[in-house]
Amino acid sequence: MSKAIPKERMALLKEASEMFNETGCVPGIAGEQVPAERLVPDVKEYISETIDNPEAIYDPKIWDTLGFTLVLSWLAKKWHQKCHRLALRHSKNFEHLAKEQQRECLDSAAVELMREIAQQRPLN
């Protein structure tokens, strides 16, 4: 399976990002507008499950929800950055961090993302 995102999907994700920039919301499962911060706990849980089982990464039901995919990309990026910084401090590769260390990075990344979403939320 290719991990490349098709151009059509990238265009839809761009639209979801623009929706967030305008409203603070992202598309939900049925296309309804959902506050982006409401998805962070579910996204965090999804990533946490992948820490224990890296093979569980792809779920079409989840990945086909544009808002979830967008928030997932934001949180995954922050999580990887935090794990990378932690790994560098301990002269380790990201893959060699203990699962508990990865979860701590995820917790910190989720808190940071929630704060950033709140700060970027347009005032209506």
Side-chain angles (χ1 to χ4, degrees), residues 17-70:
S17 182
E18 289 170 359
M19 176 192 288
F20 171 76
N21 290 336
E22 292 172 10
T23 66
C25 295
V26 294
I29 292 174
E32 75 283 14
Q33 290 189 8
V34 177
E37 64 266 29
R38 240 178 37 198
L39 295 179
V40 174
D42 292 332
V43 170
K44 179 182 164 193
E45 181 181 335
Y46 185 74
I47 293 173
S48 183
E49 290 173 9
T50 66
I51 291 171
D52 290 325
N53 182 7
E55 300 300 317
I57 292 176
Y58 182 77
D59 181 346
K61 179 181 169 196
I62 292 171
W63 282 93
D64 288 345
T65 304
L66 291 174
F68 193 94
T69 303
L70 185 61

Side-chain angles (χ1 to χ4, degrees), residues 73-114:
S73 70
W74 294 341
L75 185 53
K77 181 178 178 182
K78 288 196 165 302
W79 172 55
H80 280 232
Q81 288 170 343
K82 289 192 176 288
C83 283
H84 181 71
R85 279 186 238 134
L86 179 63
L88 287 175
R89 282 196 306 248
H90 297 286
S91 299
K92 295 181 179 179
N93 290 330
F94 177 105
E95 301 85 32
H96 293 109
L97 289 176
K99 290 179 182 184
E100 187 57 39
Q101 290 173 310
Q102 292 182 39
R103 281 191 188 85
E104 289 172 10
C105 291
L106 180 59
D107 290 344
S108 176
V111 168
E112 185 177 311
L113 180 58
M114 292 284 285

